[in-house]
Amino acid sequence: MELLSRKLRHLCSTPNVSFHPKCVKLGLTRLVFVDDLMIFLRGDLPTVSKATTELAHFSTWSGLTANLDKTEIYFGGVSEEVKQLILQATSLQEGVFPFRNLGIPIHASRLHADMYGALILKLQQLFISCPSQYLSYAGRVQVLNSVLFGLGNF
């Protein structure tokens, strides 16, 4: 995955390819989890085509392939014409916002408090469960602060 990360970062330094507009400051091209990969790039045909080529090279080299039945592409701020060109070029299914990753809603725009309902419910269940009964009030506050701080980082 380190090789793929380097290839994606290098890809953004080539002509006609760029970072996703919201990821330029961080230089963010991807998020890698145990069995999930999210790639963030500018939504235009040259960028997506070159990224698809890099993914194919990586797959050949590593033997790792994406499950195309579970792979979706998401668009934000892309014209319908460009969107259709990209969908035809990649043969991927278009995903719909909001979607959930690790229980957190992901959306193209700013999230609102009501979108965190499922996460808040899980936190409430955590504090009601048996292990949390052994925590003091200060311990519970510390756990809650850690979770909320981690959520902001996520």
Side-chain angles (χ1 to χ4, degrees):
M1 294 314 293
E2 180 63 28
L3 175 65
L4 179 61
S5 296
R6 289 178 187 211
K7 285 184 160 287
L8 289 172
R9 183 171 300 280
H10 177 72
L11 181 68
C12 287
S13 67
T14 61
N16 298 327
V17 177
S18 183
F19 291 100
H20 183 280
K22 299 286 186 180
C23 300
V24 173
K25 281 185 178 178
L26 296 173
L28 180 67
T29 57
R30 80 278 169 245
L31 289 177
V32 180
F33 300 101
V34 175
D35 61 351
D36 286 335
L37 171 66
M38 292 183 191
I39 298 175
F40 306 99
L41 295 171
R42 186 174 63 201
D44 60 23
L45 191 56
T47 300
V48 173
S49 295
K50 289 181 181 182
T52 303
T53 301
E54 286 297 332
L55 285 170
H57 288 147
F58 174 75
S59 178
T60 301
W61 178 82
S62 69
L64 298 173
T65 58
N67 182 343
L68 296 180
D69 293 332
K70 294 181 178 180
T71 302
E72 296 177 329
I73 187 166
Y74 293 85
F75 299 95
V78 176
S79 71
E80 191 62 35
E81 180 182 331
V82 172
K83 186 188 299 187
Q84 291 306 318
L85 288 172
I86 292 172
L87 288 170
Q88 289 172 0
T90 62
S91 302
L92 294 175
Q93 295 178 349
E94 181 180 359
V96 179
F97 286 113
F99 67 93
R100 292 189 176 280
N101 188 297
L102 302 176
I104 306 295
I106 308 295
H107 201 278
S109 62
R110 186 176 299 270
L111 294 174
H112 301 286
D114 59 335
M115 294 179 175
Y116 289 96
L119 178 64
I120 291 170
L121 182 62
K122 284 182 183 181
L123 287 173
Q124 286 174 339
Q125 290 171 348
L126 172 72
F127 287 115
I128 293 171
S129 69
C130 184
S132 69
Q133 292 176 357
Y134 299 111
L135 292 175
S136 66
Y137 177 78
R140 290 181 191 185
V141 169
Q142 182 63 42
V143 169
L144 183 59
N145 282 335
S146 297
V147 170
L148 293 177
F149 181 74
L151 178 63
N153 289 334
F154 174 77

